């Protein structure tokens, strides 16, 4: 292509992307913006963005070697804390992306500088394709970035019932990630948590109602994309009804096709209809879709036939981490990489032995097991997403401004608002809550320091001894079946003081805590959720959250929630 044509293409793409990724893009549109004419204009812009991205993808693909193409399929774990520490990974494998973990993230300036250096290294090797720099930043319990604004877990968002709250979480998270040069987030989680004993999803899910999960996951994904960060909707075909953890084993979901379509599919169908950038597969077996025993990640019936064929998804598909035991039980690491691609996957996240993956993929291409067309299809999808999200002409992160973009007053206020609106009052016998003005409150258990500090700020007297207090607050975290936490609640109740439990994990604890007079669910152990619970206890904020799941062993159902 002529240099002038390339410059013109890049300029047009940048102009379109600028309008798509302007700050505030996730906010509710005005009446004028939602008029039929405005909607038609936006559809035209979207078609133009897609056309330009496709042209850019074809242009880059035409100049790539087989080694470059195979490299784009890999997302490797960043090493060390500088770009130089991962320089060998970039030069040797020319990966499509790197994923960050806490050990590589020490501060805002360091992260921004590392991101910039990694993108420069990628530009200097192979076809010079920019990297996806990704992270698991769902918020709440899955937050690899330990600086910046902390939001509650997804189930807290579910308790608000408000897509605008989901969008606010994603918008703030994306703005802070972008300030650090991070352009992809492995979020949101679109699993429907229908199994209270689920060991790996739980409060990472928005709830047990498929339509609610669909609404909130779609809102988050759209807000991430509007802010220029690639969202990855996970874990298809659904990880919410599993009793095993795919990090350590291979879960089997025993339900019929009709049950799956009713209970797990709706959030993913909504994501496909919205043309979401990326979908992540799960390492689990769903015999109703594929009775071969292969995990979904390696199953052509699940990825190629159902996700791509029946649902019509032509976006980027990524595996869950390939170092998880759920995908490593029947094949070696090289064969896992090949089978994932043959199943219809595009990107291989964290292959435990990158060289084995590359060697196996190269051999499969050379002997025709993976055709050149099949390889090109994956690379084309990857390049298209990179073009649509502006990676090819992205400015480096502003190292000096990075710290100031994190944890701003507006961002922290957004997290506090979500936390306050999520707190759900599920029991309040004898009007134990709110505490009287100036009351003495004992605070023990999980989060006692943070909850107590906020109560003191609000004018209550805080002590550790429930005897003689007006109210005993006990913080719990996934106390179901935990004798120690149950004993702490029982001990407080034995003092004769009314007891209020603040459950900061799964809300299912209430079935095992009959001694609690009052029970507040925050669905998260982050500081904003603990502060919100304290404000509800003090009567500063009225509880307004609604239960996003059913509670087995009780009469509490989806939608319940008391007020005062």
């Amino acid at each position: 292509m002529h240099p002038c044509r390339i410059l013109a293409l890049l300029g047009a793409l940048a102009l379109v992307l600028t309008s798509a990724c302007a700050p505030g893009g996730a906010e509710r549109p005005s009446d004028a913006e939602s008029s039929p004419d405005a909607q038609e204009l936006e559809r035209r812009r979207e078609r133009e963005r897609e056309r330009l991205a496709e042209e850019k993808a074809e242009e880059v693909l035409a100049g790539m070697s087989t080694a470059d193409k195979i490299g784009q399929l890999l997302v490797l774990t960043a090493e060390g804390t500088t770009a130089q520490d991962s320089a060998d990974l970039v030069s040797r494998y020319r990966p499509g992306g790197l994923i960050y973990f806490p050990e590589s993230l020490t501060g805002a300036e360091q992260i921004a500088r590392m991101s910039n250096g990694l993108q420069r290294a990628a530009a200097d090797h192979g076809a010079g394709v920019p990297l996806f720099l990704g992270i698991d930043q769902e918020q709440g319990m899955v937050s690899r970035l330990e600086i910046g604004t902390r939001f509650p877990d997804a189930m807290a968002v579910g308790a608000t019932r408000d897509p605008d709250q989901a969008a606010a979480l994603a918008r703030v998270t994306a703005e802070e990630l972008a300030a650090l040069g991070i352009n992809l987030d492995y979020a949101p989680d679109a699993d429907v948590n229908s199994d209270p004993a689920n060991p790996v999803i739980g409060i990472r899910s928005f709830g047990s109602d498929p339509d609610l999960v669909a609404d909130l996951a779609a809102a988050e994904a759209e807000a991430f994309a509007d802010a220029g960060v690639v969202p990855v909707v996970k874990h298809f075909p659904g990880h919410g009804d599993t009793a095993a953890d795919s990090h350590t084993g291979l879960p089997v979901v025993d339900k019929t096709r009709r049950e799956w379509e009713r209970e797990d599919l709706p959030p993913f169908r909504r994501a496909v209809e919205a043309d979401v950038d990326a979908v992540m597969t799960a390492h689990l077996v769903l015999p109703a879709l594929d009775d071969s025993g292969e995990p979904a990640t390696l199953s052509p019936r699940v990825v190629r036939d159902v996700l791509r064929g029946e649902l019509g998804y032509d976006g980027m598909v990524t595996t869950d981490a390939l170092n998880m035991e759920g995908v490593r039980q029947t094949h070696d690491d090289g064969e896992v990489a090949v089978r994932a691609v043959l199943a219809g996957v595009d990107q291989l996240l964290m292959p435990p032995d990158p060289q084995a993956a590359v060697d196996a993929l190269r051999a499969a291409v050379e002997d025709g097991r993976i055709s050149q067309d099949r390889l090109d299809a994956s690379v084309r999808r990857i390049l298209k997403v990179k073009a649509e999200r502006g990676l090819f002409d992205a400015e480096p992160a502003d190292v000096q401004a990075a710290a100031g973009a994190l944890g701003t007053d507006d961002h922290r206020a957004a997290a506090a608002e979500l936390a306050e609106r999520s707190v759900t009052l599920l029991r309040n016998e004898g009007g134990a809550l709110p505490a009287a003005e100036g009351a003495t409150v004992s605070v023990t258990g999980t989060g006692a320091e943070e909850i107590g500090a906020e109560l003191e700020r609000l004018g209550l007297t805080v002590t550790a001894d429930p005897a003689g207090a007006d109210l005993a607050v006990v913080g719990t975290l996934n106390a179901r079946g935990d004798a120690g936490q149950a004993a702490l609640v029982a001990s407080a109740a034995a003092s004769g003081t009314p007891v209020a439990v603040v459950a900061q994990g799964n809300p299912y604890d209430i079935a095992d805590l009959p001694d609690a007079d009052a029970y507040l669910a925050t669905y998260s152990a982050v500081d904003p959720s603990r502060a919100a619970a304290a404000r509800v206890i003090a009567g500063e904020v009225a509880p307004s959250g609604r239960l996003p799941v059913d509670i087995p062993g009780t009469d509490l159902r989806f939608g319940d929630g008391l007020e005062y």
Side-chain angles (χ1 to χ4, degrees):
M1 184 177 291
H2 192 278
C4 291
R5 169 62 175 152
I6 294 174
L7 289 173
L9 175 61
L10 286 173
L13 182 58
L15 182 61
V16 172
L17 289 171
T18 298
S19 65
C21 302
E27 296 176 358
R28 183 182 295 277
S30 66
D31 291 341
E33 291 171 326
S34 56
S35 69
D37 288 346
Q39 291 174 3
E40 177 57 28
L41 178 59
E42 180 54 35
R43 283 192 289 269
R44 290 179 183 177
R45 287 174 175 168
E46 180 59 35
R47 288 194 294 269
E48 181 66 3
R49 281 195 291 268
E50 185 170 355
R51 183 185 67 79
L52 292 171
E54 289 172 351
E55 286 190 19
K56 180 62 179 176
E58 292 297 340
E59 171 205 330
V60 176
L61 182 64
M64 297 178 75
S65 66
T66 297
D68 290 329
K69 294 174 183 178
I70 290 174
Q72 284 299 300
L73 308 186
L74 306 180
V75 177
L76 308 179
T77 304
E79 298 179 348
T81 57
T82 70
Q84 187 59 37
D85 293 330
S86 296
D88 184 59
L89 290 178
V90 175
S91 63
R92 182 187 304 180
Y93 298 111
R94 310 170 202 173
L98 297 175
I99 182 171
Y100 288 162
F101 283 92
E103 52 268 28
S104 292
L105 310 174
T106 63
E109 291 188 6
Q110 171 265 326
I111 300 167
R113 187 174 288 110
M114 178 172 65
S115 297
N116 291 344
L118 289 169
Q119 295 292 15
R120 287 195 298 270
D124 290 340
H125 291 91
V129 178
L131 295 162
F132 284 134
L133 294 178
I135 193 168
D136 262 327
Q137 194 71 6
E138 298 174 16
Q139 290 288 2
M141 65 185 291
V142 179
S143 296
R144 310 304 187 199
L145 183 64
E146 298 175 351
I147 57 176
T149 306
R150 294 296 301 276
F151 277 82
D153 292 82
M155 195 170 284
V157 184
T160 73
R161 297 293 195 277
D162 189 352
D164 286 346
Q165 291 296 322
L169 179 154
R171 174 183 56 79
V172 169
T173 303
E175 289 176 359
E176 297 192 357
L177 295 180
L180 303 173
I182 299 171
N183 52 39
L184 182 148
D185 193 358
Y186 291 99
D189 190 314
D191 299 312
V192 178
N193 197 66
S194 53
D195 183 355
N198 193 312
V200 68
I201 302 300
I203 56 175
R204 297 170 61 191
S205 165
F206 294 110
S208 62
D209 181 78
D211 292 331
L212 176 67
V213 175
D215 289 344
L216 300 179
E220 278 199 15
E222 181 180 8
F224 273 119
D226 284 348
V229 170
V230 175
V232 181
V233 175
K234 59 189 185 184
H235 308 81
F236 185 83
H239 213 311
D241 193 14
T242 59
D245 184 347
S246 53
H247 291 84
T248 57
L250 179 60
V252 177
V253 180
D254 187 17
K255 57 175 55 176
T256 67
R257 170 73 186 240
R258 180 171 295 182
E259 287 171 335
W260 171 74
E261 289 179 351
R262 182 179 65 248
E263 298 169 5
D264 299 289
L265 177 59
F268 296 101
R269 187 188 297 278
R270 183 81 60 84
V272 170
E273 291 171 351
D275 196 24
V276 69
D277 287 346
V279 171
M280 176 184 284
T281 61
H283 305 328
L284 56 80
V285 174
L286 181 55
L289 298 184
D290 182 357
D291 60 3
S292 70
E294 286 280 31
T297 295
L298 308 183
S299 169
R301 296 182 189 175
V302 174
V303 182
R304 183 195 64 204
D305 297 347
V306 177
L307 179 57
R308 295 210 186 277
E310 296 179 23
L311 299 180
Y313 184 63
D314 195 35
M316 186 174 74
V317 176
T318 179
T319 69
D320 203 345
L322 293 180
N323 61 358
M324 296 165 60
E325 285 305 310
V327 77
R328 304 180 72 193
Q329 297 194 354
T330 55
H331 309 290
D332 63 41
D333 292 333
E335 181 65 10
V336 164
V338 172
R339 285 180 178 250
V341 172
L342 290 173
V345 165
D346 302 310
Q347 284 210 308
L348 309 171
L349 178 61
M350 299 169 59
D353 185 342
Q355 191 59 56
V358 168
D359 291 345
L361 290 167
R362 182 187 299 113
V365 171
E366 289 175 350
D367 66 18
R369 188 178 175 198
I370 296 176
S371 70
Q372 194 65 234
D373 286 346
R374 173 65 195 88
L375 178 61
D376 285 354
S378 279
V379 178
R380 185 178 290 110
R381 283 189 282 261
I382 294 164
L383 296 175
K384 181 183 175 185
V385 173
K386 290 183 175 184
E388 286 183 316
R389 296 294 154 237
L391 270 65
F392 284 97
D393 50 5
E395 293 293 327
D398 187 333
V399 173
Q400 301 307 315
L406 274 59
T408 66
D409 290 344
D410 286 348
H411 288 180
R412 292 184 186 277
E417 178 184 346
L418 193 162
E420 287 180 359
R421 290 188 55 187
S422 71
V423 178
T424 308
L425 180 63
L426 294 176
R427 184 187 296 162
N428 196 21
E429 295 177 1
L433 294 177
E437 185 175 352
T440 296
V441 181
S442 72
V443 185
T444 57
T446 301
E449 182 177 350
E450 295 82 3
I451 295 170
E454 183 67 10
L455 289 173
E456 285 188 326
R457 191 188 71 79
L458 294 170
L460 281 71
T461 300
V462 174
T463 178
D465 185 3
D470 300 304
L471 178 70
V473 173
V474 181
T476 63
L477 181 64
N478 300 333
R480 195 177 190 191
D482 187 322
Q485 293 190 74
L488 189 61
V489 175
S491 175
S495 71
T497 299
V499 176
V501 164
V502 178
Q504 297 152 62
N506 287 320
Y508 310 111
D509 299 2
I510 192 170
D512 292 354
L513 300 174
D515 295 319
D517 299 284
Y519 185 97
L520 289 172
T522 67
Y523 316 96
S524 189
V526 298
D527 286 352
S529 292
R530 289 170 172 169
R535 290 194 286 274
V536 171
I537 290 167
E540 186 81 5
V541 172
S544 61
R546 292 293 178 265
L547 195 59
V549 295
D550 294 334
I551 307 292
T554 73
D555 58 0
L556 292 168
R557 295 294 177 262
F558 177 91
D560 285 348
L562 304 174
E563 299 178 357
Y564 52 73

